[in-house]
Amino acid sequence: MGRMPKPIETPVPSRAELVDHLVRTRIAGQVATPRENNLSHYRKLANGDRHYWLGLELGDRWSDEQDVLAVMAERCGVVDEPAYMYGQDTIDPELTVAGLDRLAARLRKAALDRQSVLLATGHPGGLLDVHRATADALRAAGCEIVVIPPGLMADEGSVWQFADVAVLERGATLWHTHSPEPMAAILDALTGHGRPQPDLVVADHGWAGCAAQRGLDAVGYADCNDPALFLAEAEGTLQVAVPLDDHVRDPRFYDPMVAYLLDAAGLL
């Protein structure tokens, strides 16, 4: 066994307590993302704007935005009514917790099999510590946390690991990015250095989409205005997409969610 994980100070909530917390902090429930922003992103994805494909190859399978909306209603919990075009939109907290349960099952398998895991985020302001805590717990369970090759560049920035999590850095700032290019740079560099690809990628945005598109086991978090990862889960390309607001007001709001996830995965 590896070293013991850092203690989780946040008590592990029950399922009902977590649902209440998600709604209260707007990680789910009535989220901050407006309906018009969601529909705009669904439309742009359907029209072939690759910025919204998050590194996935969707072909012409999702060229009808109403089909995209239907999947988002089913897997994320947005309002399932095409005529509802303005105002508040929603993420179903029960779907968030169900996604966490699926993610926990995959993390448990990674721990049992001592798999190599790469963690990455395009939303460092919100999800960096979520991934960091996951990395700590997986390492303590005997997993290898993949160390990325040095000197990587993508999208006019540098690709580094910060607290075991791959991020894009520009001008001494960790960058919010939907691009798949940083993940592509990592995976290509691993091959170039004669190193194996990770057994599992835990990520979000284009980092998760790129890994899934390359056929790796990938799981990720996704907001209600980022439909591509939910479509990829529906098609079986991505193993898990957990619906949540990926940048709430205080990143500490995610702590009970992380405690629930790691406990469900047997990693506490």
Side-chain angles (χ1 to χ4, degrees), residues 33 37 41 51-52 54 120-128 154-158 166-182 204-207 221-223 225-226 244-248 254:
T33 309
N37 182 265
H41 286 201
H51 174 78
Y52 298 93
L54 302 183
T121 186
H123 235 306
L127 298 179
L128 179 63
D155 296 330
E156 301 180 346
S158 301
V167 294
L168 181 67
E169 184 266 346
R170 290 185 196 164
T173 300
L174 303 186
W175 207 255
H176 172 212
T177 177
H178 289 71
S179 173
E181 295 305 318
D204 48 70
H205 284 181
W207 303 80
Y221 301 96
D223 210 329
N225 62 355
D226 293 326
L244 49 66
D245 187 317
D246 54 17
H247 197 155
V248 292
Y254 296 110

mmCIF file of all heavy atoms in Angstrom, residues 33 37 41 51-52 54 120-128 154-158 166-182 204-207 221-223 225-226 244-248 254:
data_model
loop_
_atom_site.group_PDB
_atom_site.id
_atom_site.type_symbol
_atom_site.label_atom_id
_atom_site.label_comp_id
_atom_site.label_asym_id
_atom_site.label_seq_id
_atom_site.Cartn_x
_atom_site.Cartn_y
_atom_site.Cartn_z
ATOM 1 N N THR A 33 -25.967 29.095 -14.634
ATOM 2 C CA THR A 33 -25.932 29.192 -16.092
ATOM 3 C C THR A 33 -27.325 29.457 -16.645
ATOM 4 O O THR A 33 -28.251 28.681 -16.401
ATOM 5 C CB THR A 33 -25.392 27.892 -16.701
ATOM 6 O OG1 THR A 33 -24.165 27.546 -16.067
ATOM 7 C CG2 THR A 33 -25.165 28.053 -18.190
ATOM 8 N N ASN A 37 -27.810 30.659 -22.582
ATOM 9 C CA ASN A 37 -26.420 30.227 -22.790
ATOM 10 C C ASN A 37 -26.380 28.738 -23.126
ATOM 11 O O ASN A 37 -25.655 28.313 -24.043
ATOM 12 C CB ASN A 37 -25.597 30.534 -21.547
ATOM 13 C CG ASN A 37 -24.135 30.149 -21.697
ATOM 14 O OD1 ASN A 37 -23.734 29.064 -21.298
ATOM 15 N ND2 ASN A 37 -23.348 31.043 -22.278
ATOM 16 N N HIS A 41 -25.080 27.057 -26.773
ATOM 17 C CA HIS A 41 -24.015 26.062 -26.887
ATOM 18 C C HIS A 41 -24.513 24.805 -27.580
ATOM 19 O O HIS A 41 -23.786 24.211 -28.382
ATOM 20 C CB HIS A 41 -23.472 25.733 -25.504
ATOM 21 C CG HIS A 41 -22.616 26.809 -24.915
ATOM 22 N ND1 HIS A 41 -21.695 26.591 -23.913
ATOM 23 C CD2 HIS A 41 -22.530 28.134 -25.193
ATOM 24 C CE1 HIS A 41 -21.094 27.712 -23.595
ATOM 25 N NE2 HIS A 41 -21.597 28.668 -24.353
ATOM 26 N N HIS A 51 -15.225 24.033 -31.274
ATOM 27 C CA HIS A 51 -14.917 24.519 -29.924
ATOM 28 C C HIS A 51 -15.813 23.828 -28.903
ATOM 29 O O HIS A 51 -15.382 23.579 -27.763
ATOM 30 C CB HIS A 51 -15.112 26.040 -29.856
ATOM 31 C CG HIS A 51 -14.956 26.600 -28.476
ATOM 32 N ND1 HIS A 51 -13.723 26.813 -27.894
ATOM 33 C CD2 HIS A 51 -15.874 26.996 -27.550
ATOM 34 C CE1 HIS A 51 -13.890 27.306 -26.677
ATOM 35 N NE2 HIS A 51 -15.185 27.423 -26.439
ATOM 36 N N TYR A 52 -17.033 23.505 -29.314
ATOM 37 C CA TYR A 52 -18.001 22.900 -28.399
ATOM 38 C C TYR A 52 -18.002 21.378 -28.451
ATOM 39 O O TYR A 52 -18.742 20.732 -27.718
ATOM 40 C CB TYR A 52 -19.398 23.453 -28.690
ATOM 41 C CG TYR A 52 -19.452 24.938 -28.457
ATOM 42 C CD1 TYR A 52 -19.220 25.836 -29.507
ATOM 43 C CD2 TYR A 52 -19.665 25.464 -27.193
ATOM 44 C CE1 TYR A 52 -19.229 27.214 -29.290
ATOM 45 C CE2 TYR A 52 -19.669 26.837 -26.967
ATOM 46 C CZ TYR A 52 -19.449 27.695 -28.018
ATOM 47 O OH TYR A 52 -19.434 29.054 -27.803
ATOM 48 N N LEU A 54 -15.240 19.655 -27.732
ATOM 49 C CA LEU A 54 -14.337 19.288 -26.634
ATOM 50 C C LEU A 54 -13.423 18.113 -26.987
ATOM 51 O O LEU A 54 -13.176 17.216 -26.170
ATOM 52 C CB LEU A 54 -15.135 18.960 -25.370
ATOM 53 C CG LEU A 54 -16.058 20.064 -24.838
ATOM 54 C CD1 LEU A 54 -16.737 19.619 -23.546
ATOM 55 C CD2 LEU A 54 -15.310 21.363 -24.621
ATOM 56 N N ALA A 120 -6.578 15.889 -14.817
ATOM 57 C CA ALA A 120 -6.374 17.155 -15.512
ATOM 58 C C ALA A 120 -7.629 17.997 -15.410
ATOM 59 O O ALA A 120 -8.736 17.467 -15.323
ATOM 60 C CB ALA A 120 -6.035 16.899 -16.988
ATOM 61 N N THR A 121 -7.457 19.316 -15.461
ATOM 62 C CA THR A 121 -8.622 20.194 -15.430
ATOM 63 C C THR A 121 -8.443 21.424 -16.308
ATOM 64 O O THR A 121 -7.377 22.030 -16.350
ATOM 65 C CB THR A 121 -8.955 20.640 -13.991
ATOM 66 O OG1 THR A 121 -10.177 21.376 -14.008
ATOM 67 C CG2 THR A 121 -7.855 21.496 -13.380
ATOM 68 N N GLY A 122 -9.532 21.766 -16.986
ATOM 69 C CA GLY A 122 -9.621 23.027 -17.702
ATOM 70 C C GLY A 122 -10.342 24.073 -16.888
ATOM 71 O O GLY A 122 -10.581 25.183 -17.369
ATOM 72 N N HIS A 123 -10.706 23.718 -15.655
ATOM 73 C CA HIS A 123 -11.423 24.644 -14.777
ATOM 74 C C HIS A 123 -10.709 24.726 -13.429
ATOM 75 O O HIS A 123 -11.273 24.379 -12.389
ATOM 76 C CB HIS A 123 -12.863 24.182 -14.580
ATOM 77 C CG HIS A 123 -13.875 25.225 -14.934
ATOM 78 N ND1 HIS A 123 -13.854 26.494 -14.391
ATOM 79 C CD2 HIS A 123 -14.927 25.204 -15.785
ATOM 80 C CE1 HIS A 123 -14.868 27.201 -14.887
ATOM 81 N NE2 HIS A 123 -15.527 26.438 -15.741
ATOM 82 N N PRO A 124 -9.444 25.205 -13.422
ATOM 83 C CA PRO A 124 -8.678 25.184 -12.173
ATOM 84 C C PRO A 124 -9.278 26.037 -11.068
ATOM 85 O O PRO A 124 -9.087 25.740 -9.886
ATOM 86 C CB PRO A 124 -7.292 25.700 -12.599
ATOM 87 C CG PRO A 124 -7.532 26.461 -13.863
ATOM 88 C CD PRO A 124 -8.655 25.740 -14.547
ATOM 89 N N GLY A 125 -10.015 27.089 -11.420
ATOM 90 C CA GLY A 125 -10.625 27.919 -10.403
ATOM 91 C C GLY A 125 -11.713 27.224 -9.623
ATOM 92 O O GLY A 125 -12.036 27.618 -8.494
ATOM 93 N N GLY A 126 -12.290 26.170 -10.200
ATOM 94 C CA GLY A 126 -13.363 25.459 -9.533
ATOM 95 C C GLY A 126 -13.001 24.049 -9.115
ATOM 96 O O GLY A 126 -13.286 23.631 -7.995
ATOM 97 N N LEU A 127 -12.341 23.293 -10.023
ATOM 98 C CA LEU A 127 -12.225 21.859 -9.825
ATOM 99 C C LEU A 127 -10.820 21.369 -9.497
ATOM 100 O O LEU A 127 -10.620 20.163 -9.318
ATOM 101 C CB LEU A 127 -12.725 21.122 -11.078
ATOM 102 C CG LEU A 127 -14.198 21.363 -11.433
ATOM 103 C CD1 LEU A 127 -14.559 20.604 -12.703
ATOM 104 C CD2 LEU A 127 -15.121 20.963 -10.288
ATOM 105 N N LEU A 128 -9.850 22.260 -9.395
ATOM 106 C CA LEU A 128 -8.477 21.815 -9.149
ATOM 107 C C LEU A 128 -8.379 20.969 -7.884
ATOM 108 O O LEU A 128 -7.784 19.888 -7.887
ATOM 109 C CB LEU A 128 -7.538 23.022 -9.051
ATOM 110 C CG LEU A 128 -6.070 22.686 -8.763
ATOM 111 C CD1 LEU A 128 -5.463 21.866 -9.891
ATOM 112 C CD2 LEU A 128 -5.257 23.957 -8.537
ATOM 113 N N ALA A 154 1.058 24.030 -25.462
ATOM 114 C CA ALA A 154 -0.202 23.901 -26.207
ATOM 115 C C ALA A 154 -0.940 25.223 -26.117
ATOM 116 O O ALA A 154 -0.902 25.898 -25.081
ATOM 117 C CB ALA A 154 -1.064 22.786 -25.635
ATOM 118 N N ASP A 155 -1.594 25.608 -27.203
ATOM 119 C CA ASP A 155 -2.435 26.810 -27.202
ATOM 120 C C ASP A 155 -1.700 28.037 -26.652
ATOM 121 O O ASP A 155 -2.235 28.799 -25.849
ATOM 122 C CB ASP A 155 -3.718 26.569 -26.398
ATOM 123 C CG ASP A 155 -4.596 25.492 -27.009
ATOM 124 O OD1 ASP A 155 -4.570 25.340 -28.249
ATOM 125 O OD2 ASP A 155 -5.302 24.798 -26.260
ATOM 126 N N GLU A 156 -0.445 28.194 -27.057
ATOM 127 C CA GLU A 156 0.385 29.334 -26.643
ATOM 128 C C GLU A 156 0.582 29.397 -25.131
ATOM 129 O O GLU A 156 0.771 30.473 -24.552
ATOM 130 C CB GLU A 156 -0.217 30.649 -27.152
ATOM 131 C CG GLU A 156 -0.340 30.694 -28.672
ATOM 132 C CD GLU A 156 -0.935 31.994 -29.167
ATOM 133 O OE1 GLU A 156 -1.488 32.751 -28.351
ATOM 134 O OE2 GLU A 156 -0.840 32.238 -30.379
ATOM 135 N N GLY A 157 0.524 28.246 -24.485
ATOM 136 C CA GLY A 157 0.763 28.174 -23.054
ATOM 137 C C GLY A 157 1.577 26.946 -22.719
ATOM 138 O O GLY A 157 1.948 26.160 -23.589
ATOM 139 N N SER A 158 1.872 26.786 -21.446
ATOM 140 C CA SER A 158 2.638 25.647 -20.958
ATOM 141 C C SER A 158 1.711 24.675 -20.246
ATOM 142 O O SER A 158 0.762 25.085 -19.577
ATOM 143 C CB SER A 158 3.716 26.123 -19.976
ATOM 144 O OG SER A 158 4.598 27.045 -20.596
ATOM 145 N N ALA A 166 -2.879 18.056 -14.116
ATOM 146 C CA ALA A 166 -2.393 18.758 -15.302
ATOM 147 C C ALA A 166 -3.273 19.968 -15.589
ATOM 148 O O ALA A 166 -4.504 19.890 -15.539
ATOM 149 C CB ALA A 166 -2.386 17.815 -16.508
ATOM 150 N N VAL A 167 -2.620 21.095 -15.887
ATOM 151 C CA VAL A 167 -3.303 22.355 -16.153
ATOM 152 C C VAL A 167 -2.572 23.082 -17.269
ATOM 153 O O VAL A 167 -1.426 22.778 -17.592
ATOM 154 C CB VAL A 167 -3.351 23.260 -14.898
ATOM 155 C CG1 VAL A 167 -4.223 22.643 -13.806
ATOM 156 C CG2 VAL A 167 -1.940 23.523 -14.364
ATOM 157 N N LEU A 168 -3.250 24.069 -17.838
ATOM 158 C CA LEU A 168 -2.637 24.956 -18.823
ATOM 159 C C LEU A 168 -2.282 26.258 -18.125
ATOM 160 O O LEU A 168 -3.117 26.846 -17.432
ATOM 161 C CB LEU A 168 -3.596 25.226 -19.984
ATOM 162 C CG LEU A 168 -3.061 26.135 -21.097
ATOM 163 C CD1 LEU A 168 -1.920 25.454 -21.848
ATOM 164 C CD2 LEU A 168 -4.181 26.510 -22.070
ATOM 165 N N GLU A 169 -1.036 26.709 -18.320
ATOM 166 C CA GLU A 169 -0.561 27.931 -17.674
ATOM 167 C C GLU A 169 -0.121 28.939 -18.721
ATOM 168 O O GLU A 169 0.550 28.585 -19.685
ATOM 169 C CB GLU A 169 0.600 27.607 -16.734
ATOM 170 C CG GLU A 169 1.123 28.778 -15.940
ATOM 171 C CD GLU A 169 2.312 29.468 -16.605
ATOM 172 O OE1 GLU A 169 2.907 28.901 -17.547
ATOM 173 O OE2 GLU A 169 2.644 30.594 -16.194
ATOM 174 N N ARG A 170 -0.562 30.163 -18.528
ATOM 175 C CA ARG A 170 -0.104 31.279 -19.364
ATOM 176 C C ARG A 170 0.180 32.471 -18.472
ATOM 177 O O ARG A 170 -0.666 32.848 -17.660
ATOM 178 C CB ARG A 170 -1.178 31.695 -20.374
ATOM 179 C CG ARG A 170 -1.469 30.726 -21.487
ATOM 180 C CD ARG A 170 -2.459 31.366 -22.451
ATOM 181 N NE ARG A 170 -3.083 30.416 -23.348
ATOM 182 C CZ ARG A 170 -4.176 30.678 -24.055
ATOM 183 N NH1 ARG A 170 -4.782 31.843 -23.931
ATOM 184 N NH2 ARG A 170 -4.693 29.772 -24.865
ATOM 185 N N GLY A 171 1.359 33.040 -18.617
ATOM 186 C CA GLY A 171 1.676 34.259 -17.886
ATOM 187 C C GLY A 171 1.506 34.129 -16.391
ATOM 188 O O GLY A 171 0.943 35.010 -15.738
ATOM 189 N N ALA A 172 1.987 33.020 -15.831
ATOM 190 C CA ALA A 172 1.913 32.758 -14.395
ATOM 191 C C ALA A 172 0.474 32.632 -13.895
ATOM 192 O O ALA A 172 0.200 32.817 -12.713
ATOM 193 C CB ALA A 172 2.655 33.829 -13.598
ATOM 194 N N THR A 173 -0.457 32.296 -14.792
ATOM 195 C CA THR A 173 -1.865 32.127 -14.422
ATOM 196 C C THR A 173 -2.357 30.773 -14.915
ATOM 197 O O THR A 173 -2.103 30.390 -16.059
ATOM 198 C CB THR A 173 -2.726 33.238 -15.056
ATOM 199 O OG1 THR A 173 -2.274 34.512 -14.587
ATOM 200 C CG2 THR A 173 -4.191 33.066 -14.691
ATOM 201 N N LEU A 174 -3.048 30.042 -14.050
ATOM 202 C CA LEU A 174 -3.678 28.789 -14.477
ATOM 203 C C LEU A 174 -4.906 29.133 -15.309
ATOM 204 O O LEU A 174 -5.733 29.945 -14.905
ATOM 205 C CB LEU A 174 -4.063 27.947 -13.265
ATOM 206 C CG LEU A 174 -2.921 27.587 -12.310
ATOM 207 C CD1 LEU A 174 -3.408 26.633 -11.226
ATOM 208 C CD2 LEU A 174 -1.733 26.998 -13.051
ATOM 209 N N TRP A 175 -5.034 28.505 -16.454
ATOM 210 C CA TRP A 175 -5.948 28.977 -17.499
ATOM 211 C C TRP A 175 -7.206 28.123 -17.590
ATOM 212 O O TRP A 175 -7.151 26.890 -17.587
ATOM 213 C CB TRP A 175 -5.217 28.944 -18.842
ATOM 214 C CG TRP A 175 -5.727 29.938 -19.833
ATOM 215 C CD1 TRP A 175 -6.497 29.681 -20.912
ATOM 216 C CD2 TRP A 175 -5.485 31.341 -19.838
ATOM 217 N NE1 TRP A 175 -6.763 30.835 -21.606
ATOM 218 C CE2 TRP A 175 -6.156 31.883 -20.978
ATOM 219 C CE3 TRP A 175 -4.772 32.210 -19.018
ATOM 220 C CZ2 TRP A 175 -6.135 33.226 -21.285
ATOM 221 C CZ3 TRP A 175 -4.748 33.556 -19.324
ATOM 222 C CH2 TRP A 175 -5.425 34.048 -20.440
ATOM 223 N N HIS A 176 -8.328 28.803 -17.704
ATOM 224 C CA HIS A 176 -9.601 28.142 -18.004
ATOM 225 C C HIS A 176 -9.617 27.822 -19.494
ATOM 226 O O HIS A 176 -9.500 28.726 -20.324
ATOM 227 C CB HIS A 176 -10.756 29.080 -17.633
ATOM 228 C CG HIS A 176 -12.104 28.592 -18.058
ATOM 229 N ND1 HIS A 176 -13.123 29.439 -18.420
ATOM 230 C CD2 HIS A 176 -12.608 27.341 -18.180
ATOM 231 C CE1 HIS A 176 -14.189 28.751 -18.738
ATOM 232 N NE2 HIS A 176 -13.906 27.464 -18.610
ATOM 233 N N THR A 177 -9.751 26.556 -19.840
ATOM 234 C CA THR A 177 -9.719 26.191 -21.249
ATOM 235 C C THR A 177 -10.642 25.017 -21.537
ATOM 236 O O THR A 177 -10.772 24.100 -20.729
ATOM 237 C CB THR A 177 -8.286 25.825 -21.695
ATOM 238 O OG1 THR A 177 -8.306 25.404 -23.067
ATOM 239 C CG2 THR A 177 -7.694 24.698 -20.864
ATOM 240 N N HIS A 178 -11.296 25.080 -22.692
ATOM 241 C CA HIS A 178 -12.094 23.967 -23.194
ATOM 242 C C HIS A 178 -11.311 23.138 -24.221
ATOM 243 O O HIS A 178 -11.813 22.123 -24.695
ATOM 244 C CB HIS A 178 -13.372 24.487 -23.866
ATOM 245 C CG HIS A 178 -14.376 25.047 -22.918
ATOM 246 N ND1 HIS A 178 -14.199 26.232 -22.260
ATOM 247 C CD2 HIS A 178 -15.582 24.570 -22.511
ATOM 248 C CE1 HIS A 178 -15.254 26.478 -21.493
ATOM 249 N NE2 HIS A 178 -16.101 25.481 -21.620
ATOM 250 N N SER A 179 -10.109 23.555 -24.549
ATOM 251 C CA SER A 179 -9.349 22.966 -25.654
ATOM 252 C C SER A 179 -8.890 21.541 -25.357
ATOM 253 O O SER A 179 -8.482 21.232 -24.237
ATOM 254 C CB SER A 179 -8.126 23.836 -25.947
ATOM 255 O OG SER A 179 -7.284 23.211 -26.907
ATOM 256 N N PRO A 180 -8.898 20.673 -26.376
ATOM 257 C CA PRO A 180 -8.323 19.340 -26.220
ATOM 258 C C PRO A 180 -6.811 19.314 -26.418
ATOM 259 O O PRO A 180 -6.171 18.284 -26.155
ATOM 260 C CB PRO A 180 -9.014 18.543 -27.330
ATOM 261 C CG PRO A 180 -9.252 19.556 -28.411
ATOM 262 C CD PRO A 180 -9.573 20.842 -27.691
ATOM 263 N N GLU A 181 -6.229 20.405 -26.890
ATOM 264 C CA GLU A 181 -4.814 20.386 -27.275
ATOM 265 C C GLU A 181 -3.856 20.098 -26.114
ATOM 266 O O GLU A 181 -2.855 19.396 -26.301
ATOM 267 C CB GLU A 181 -4.440 21.696 -27.965
ATOM 268 C CG GLU A 181 -5.155 21.909 -29.299
ATOM 269 C CD GLU A 181 -4.944 20.745 -30.258
ATOM 270 O OE1 GLU A 181 -3.804 20.231 -30.340
ATOM 271 O OE2 GLU A 181 -5.920 20.340 -30.922
ATOM 272 N N PRO A 182 -4.093 20.621 -24.902
ATOM 273 C CA PRO A 182 -3.169 20.271 -23.814
ATOM 274 C C PRO A 182 -3.135 18.772 -23.515
ATOM 275 O O PRO A 182 -2.061 18.203 -23.272
ATOM 276 C CB PRO A 182 -3.712 21.075 -22.624
ATOM 277 C CG PRO A 182 -4.415 22.241 -23.238
ATOM 278 C CD PRO A 182 -5.035 21.688 -24.487
ATOM 279 N N ASP A 204 -12.012 16.947 -17.207
ATOM 280 C CA ASP A 204 -13.194 17.714 -17.578
ATOM 281 C C ASP A 204 -12.879 18.390 -18.911
ATOM 282 O O ASP A 204 -11.768 18.280 -19.435
ATOM 283 C CB ASP A 204 -13.559 18.749 -16.492
ATOM 284 C CG ASP A 204 -12.358 19.563 -16.026
ATOM 285 O OD1 ASP A 204 -11.861 20.398 -16.803
ATOM 286 O OD2 ASP A 204 -11.898 19.361 -14.877
ATOM 287 N N HIS A 205 -13.887 19.069 -19.484
ATOM 288 C CA HIS A 205 -13.705 19.838 -20.720
ATOM 289 C C HIS A 205 -12.980 19.031 -21.796
ATOM 290 O O HIS A 205 -13.169 17.826 -21.917
ATOM 291 C CB HIS A 205 -12.972 21.137 -20.420
ATOM 292 C CG HIS A 205 -13.835 22.180 -19.758
ATOM 293 N ND1 HIS A 205 -13.378 23.432 -19.424
ATOM 294 C CD2 HIS A 205 -15.122 22.159 -19.367
ATOM 295 C CE1 HIS A 205 -14.334 24.132 -18.860
ATOM 296 N NE2 HIS A 205 -15.406 23.375 -18.813
ATOM 297 N N GLY A 206 -12.155 19.712 -22.588
ATOM 298 C CA GLY A 206 -11.461 19.051 -23.685
ATOM 299 C C GLY A 206 -10.410 18.063 -23.241
ATOM 300 O O GLY A 206 -10.024 17.178 -24.010
ATOM 301 N N TRP A 207 -9.944 18.186 -22.008
ATOM 302 C CA TRP A 207 -8.991 17.207 -21.483
ATOM 303 C C TRP A 207 -9.641 15.818 -21.455
ATOM 304 O O TRP A 207 -9.013 14.820 -21.840
ATOM 305 C CB TRP A 207 -8.560 17.583 -20.070
ATOM 306 C CG TRP A 207 -7.944 18.932 -19.884
ATOM 307 C CD1 TRP A 207 -8.607 20.121 -19.778
ATOM 308 C CD2 TRP A 207 -6.550 19.242 -19.767
ATOM 309 N NE1 TRP A 207 -7.709 21.144 -19.587
ATOM 310 C CE2 TRP A 207 -6.443 20.634 -19.571
ATOM 311 C CE3 TRP A 207 -5.380 18.467 -19.786
ATOM 312 C CZ2 TRP A 207 -5.217 21.273 -19.401
ATOM 313 C CZ3 TRP A 207 -4.159 19.097 -19.621
ATOM 314 C CH2 TRP A 207 -4.082 20.487 -19.443
ATOM 315 N N TYR A 221 -16.182 15.569 -15.272
ATOM 316 C CA TYR A 221 -17.237 16.450 -14.797
ATOM 317 C C TYR A 221 -17.648 17.376 -15.942
ATOM 318 O O TYR A 221 -16.804 17.773 -16.755
ATOM 319 C CB TYR A 221 -16.730 17.290 -13.618
ATOM 320 C CG TYR A 221 -16.269 16.470 -12.447
ATOM 321 C CD1 TYR A 221 -14.920 16.147 -12.275
ATOM 322 C CD2 TYR A 221 -17.178 16.008 -11.507
ATOM 323 C CE1 TYR A 221 -14.495 15.395 -11.194
ATOM 324 C CE2 TYR A 221 -16.758 15.254 -10.417
ATOM 325 C CZ TYR A 221 -15.413 14.949 -10.262
ATOM 326 O OH TYR A 221 -14.992 14.201 -9.187
ATOM 327 N N ALA A 222 -18.933 17.729 -15.999
ATOM 328 C CA ALA A 222 -19.392 18.585 -17.091
ATOM 329 C C ALA A 222 -20.559 19.447 -16.634
ATOM 330 O O ALA A 222 -21.437 18.996 -15.898
ATOM 331 C CB ALA A 222 -19.801 17.740 -18.295
ATOM 332 N N ASP A 223 -20.560 20.690 -17.088
ATOM 333 C CA ASP A 223 -21.610 21.649 -16.787
ATOM 334 C C ASP A 223 -22.742 21.504 -17.802
ATOM 335 O O ASP A 223 -22.583 20.859 -18.850
ATOM 336 C CB ASP A 223 -21.034 23.065 -16.821
ATOM 337 C CG ASP A 223 -21.751 24.020 -15.882
ATOM 338 O OD1 ASP A 223 -22.961 23.837 -15.662
ATOM 339 O OD2 ASP A 223 -21.100 24.967 -15.409
ATOM 340 N N ASN A 225 -23.839 23.613 -19.820
ATOM 341 C CA ASN A 225 -23.597 24.278 -21.098
ATOM 342 C C ASN A 225 -22.449 23.628 -21.867
ATOM 343 O O ASN A 225 -21.946 24.189 -22.831
ATOM 344 C CB ASN A 225 -23.342 25.775 -20.908
ATOM 345 C CG ASN A 225 -22.117 26.068 -20.067
ATOM 346 O OD1 ASN A 225 -21.487 25.153 -19.535
ATOM 347 N ND2 ASN A 225 -21.775 27.343 -19.937
ATOM 348 N N ASP A 226 -22.019 22.435 -21.425
ATOM 349 C CA ASP A 226 -20.968 21.671 -22.103
ATOM 350 C C ASP A 226 -21.523 20.308 -22.506
ATOM 351 O O ASP A 226 -21.217 19.279 -21.889
ATOM 352 C CB ASP A 226 -19.754 21.500 -21.184
ATOM 353 C CG ASP A 226 -19.036 22.803 -20.899
ATOM 354 O OD1 ASP A 226 -19.006 23.660 -21.798
ATOM 355 O OD2 ASP A 226 -18.499 22.959 -19.786
ATOM 356 N N LEU A 244 -22.656 18.935 -13.146
ATOM 357 C CA LEU A 244 -22.565 19.890 -12.044
ATOM 358 C C LEU A 244 -22.180 21.258 -12.590
ATOM 359 O O LEU A 244 -21.692 21.376 -13.710
ATOM 360 C CB LEU A 244 -21.542 19.435 -10.999
ATOM 361 C CG LEU A 244 -20.137 18.980 -11.410
ATOM 362 C CD1 LEU A 244 -19.293 20.082 -12.013
ATOM 363 C CD2 LEU A 244 -19.402 18.407 -10.193
ATOM 364 N N ASP A 245 -22.414 22.298 -11.805
ATOM 365 C CA ASP A 245 -21.863 23.608 -12.106
ATOM 366 C C ASP A 245 -20.384 23.533 -11.779
ATOM 367 O O ASP A 245 -19.999 23.277 -10.635
ATOM 368 C CB ASP A 245 -22.551 24.694 -11.277
ATOM 369 C CG ASP A 245 -22.115 26.098 -11.682
ATOM 370 O OD1 ASP A 245 -20.895 26.295 -11.893
ATOM 371 O OD2 ASP A 245 -22.964 26.987 -11.770
ATOM 372 N N ASP A 246 -19.525 23.738 -12.780
ATOM 373 C CA ASP A 246 -18.095 23.488 -12.601
ATOM 374 C C ASP A 246 -17.311 24.691 -12.084
ATOM 375 O O ASP A 246 -16.084 24.654 -12.022
ATOM 376 C CB ASP A 246 -17.465 22.956 -13.895
ATOM 377 C CG ASP A 246 -17.718 23.837 -15.102
ATOM 378 O OD1 ASP A 246 -18.100 25.008 -14.924
ATOM 379 O OD2 ASP A 246 -17.549 23.343 -16.232
ATOM 380 N N HIS A 247 -18.012 25.756 -11.681
ATOM 381 C CA HIS A 247 -17.303 26.892 -11.082
ATOM 382 C C HIS A 247 -18.280 27.693 -10.230
ATOM 383 O O HIS A 247 -18.746 28.754 -10.636
ATOM 384 C CB HIS A 247 -16.670 27.783 -12.154
ATOM 385 C CG HIS A 247 -15.618 28.700 -11.613
ATOM 386 N ND1 HIS A 247 -14.602 29.211 -12.385
ATOM 387 C CD2 HIS A 247 -15.407 29.213 -10.372
ATOM 388 C CE1 HIS A 247 -13.826 29.991 -11.664
ATOM 389 N NE2 HIS A 247 -14.301 30.006 -10.422
ATOM 390 N N VAL A 248 -18.579 27.174 -9.055
ATOM 391 C CA VAL A 248 -19.461 27.890 -8.145
ATOM 392 C C VAL A 248 -18.663 28.941 -7.373
ATOM 393 O O VAL A 248 -17.443 29.029 -7.487
ATOM 394 C CB VAL A 248 -20.177 26.930 -7.180
ATOM 395 C CG1 VAL A 248 -21.162 26.058 -7.945
ATOM 396 C CG2 VAL A 248 -19.189 26.063 -6.406
ATOM 397 N N TYR A 254 -17.372 22.256 -2.949
ATOM 398 C CA TYR A 254 -17.270 20.909 -3.507
ATOM 399 C C TYR A 254 -16.790 19.882 -2.475
ATOM 400 O O TYR A 254 -16.842 18.676 -2.739
ATOM 401 C CB TYR A 254 -16.309 20.893 -4.697
ATOM 402 C CG TYR A 254 -16.756 21.710 -5.879
ATOM 403 C CD1 TYR A 254 -16.095 22.888 -6.219
ATOM 404 C CD2 TYR A 254 -17.834 21.314 -6.662
ATOM 405 C CE1 TYR A 254 -16.500 23.646 -7.308
ATOM 406 C CE2 TYR A 254 -18.244 22.067 -7.750
ATOM 407 C CZ TYR A 254 -17.568 23.238 -8.068
ATOM 408 O OH TYR A 254 -17.978 23.984 -9.135
#
